[in-house]
Amino acid sequence: MILWFLGLMVVGLYLSFIMMHRSLKRTALIIVFGIGVVGSLLLITLNDNAHFGMVKRTTTDEQTIYTASPNAQMPMLLKQTVGTAGKHAVYIYKTDPKKKAVHTKADLAVYNKVSRTSDPTASLTSKTTRWEYQNGFYGALFNHEGAGQFVSQHNQLAIPKSWFVLTTTQAKQLSSKLKALQHPTAQQKAALATKVKAKAAELVKADPKLATDQTALMKQAQKAVQQELIQQAVQDVQQHK
């Protein structure tokens, strides 16, 4: 609307200045149309530079997220640094277990925070702030230019305590370590068997009833030792940032 108004003011100023003879009426029209041109340009400038007629509006969106890890039994939230300084990062996750992984918006005005939750599922709460027009009048006046312009976003990623937080590089290192564990040497197998026996003894000491079923006891001990090895592998890769 304001561009149409500016156009009319320019045409009116031109016609009154060129086509009319000198008179009080001509002078008055030149002043009126001149004020209209200057005022229109001023409003356009204020709208472009200072968001005149607009306000910041924040919307909140919450959704369940899923691990981007290919191993569902080892859920993790992946982190990827962006920029040469490495001060900013995006987090990688899935919005649907069957779909491709996505990541938080890569923008300096996006702030991500990760917290732990006792809930079994992970969630992402995003508070997004954008410029919107105060009302329909201002929107129509400026033809809704700049409406929805992104200002900032605050993401709160709440993940279960069982999840790991690793960079993409650390995740690759972890994958290599776990593959190595699947093909142990004879010496490693002997050490593993010793750890399983020791863990079984610990379990029986804590609950003597477990000794009645040796098969179930050994399975439980093996699982516990595997978890310890995974935890140790995660701690090792987390030391390399």
Side-chain angles (χ1 to χ4, degrees), residues 122-164:
S123 65
L124 169 62
T125 302
S126 299
K127 293 184 177 181
T128 307
T129 302
R130 300 181 184 277
W131 284 108
E132 300 290 350
Y133 282 98
Q134 294 181 20
N135 49 48
F137 169 75
Y138 284 112
L141 179 64
F142 296 105
N143 197 32
H144 297 280
E145 286 291 330
Q149 183 180 344
F150 179 79
V151 177
S152 65
Q153 186 178 72
H154 289 77
N155 295 317
Q156 178 72 48
L157 298 107
I159 60 174
K161 297 177 181 178
S162 59
W163 281 39
F164 302 115

Side-chain angles (χ1 to χ4, degrees), residues 47-64:
N47 177 254
D48 286 341
N49 298 331
H51 299 95
F52 174 76
M54 307 179 81
V55 292
K56 291 180 181 178
R57 288 205 174 97
T58 301
T59 57
T60 301
D61 176 64
E62 185 173 356
Q63 59 180 325
T64 299

Side-chain angles (χ1 to χ4, degrees), residues 48-220:
D48 286 341
N49 298 331
H51 299 95
F52 174 76
M54 307 179 81
V55 292
K56 291 180 181 178
R57 288 205 174 97
T58 301
T59 57
T60 301
D61 176 64
E62 185 173 356
Q63 59 180 325
T64 299
I65 60 174
Y66 304 89
T67 177
S69 170
N71 187 348
Q73 295 181 346
M74 193 182 299
M76 63 180 70
L77 180 65
L78 295 178
K79 178 181 178 182
Q80 175 67 60
T81 56
V82 292
T84 55
K87 294 181 179 179
H88 301 278
V90 296
Y91 287 89
I92 304 168
Y93 56 91
K94 287 185 178 181
T95 56
D96 187 313
K98 298 180 181 178
K99 293 183 178 180
K100 291 183 178 180
V102 296
H103 59 77
T104 53
K105 186 179 179 69
D107 194 293
L108 295 179
V110 175
Y111 307 93
N112 300 308
K113 184 178 180 181
V114 179
S115 62
R116 297 287 182 175
T117 177
S118 56
D119 292 337
T121 57
S123 65
L124 169 62
T125 302
S126 299
K127 293 184 177 181
T128 307
T129 302
R130 300 181 184 277
W131 284 108
E132 300 290 350
Y133 282 98
Q134 294 181 20
N135 49 48
F137 169 75
Y138 284 112
L141 179 64
F142 296 105
N143 197 32
H144 297 280
E145 286 291 330
Q149 183 180 344
F150 179 79
V151 177
S152 65
Q153 186 178 72
H154 289 77
N155 295 317
Q156 178 72 48
L157 298 107
I159 60 174
K161 297 177 181 178
S162 59
W163 281 39
F164 302 115
V165 180
L166 300 175
T167 65
T168 51
T169 300
Q170 290 172 340
K172 290 178 182 178
Q173 293 173 346
L174 178 61
S175 177
S176 298
K177 281 182 172 291
L178 295 181
K179 285 181 180 179
L181 290 176
Q182 292 175 356
H183 304 284
T185 63
Q187 185 178 359
Q188 289 173 331
K189 286 181 179 180
L192 182 61
T194 301
K195 287 182 178 181
V196 171
K197 289 181 180 179
K199 179 59 67 175
E202 288 181 17
L203 293 173
V204 170
K205 185 177 180 180
D207 185 2
K209 294 181 181 179
L210 294 174
T212 58
D213 189 340
Q214 287 295 312
T215 302
L217 173 62
M218 295 308 295
K219 285 184 178 180
Q220 188 173 343

Side-chain angles (χ1 to χ4, degrees), residues 20-28:
M20 295 181 67
H21 296 290
R22 290 186 178 182
S23 63
L24 185 61
K25 182 178 181 181
R26 175 177 178 268
T27 301

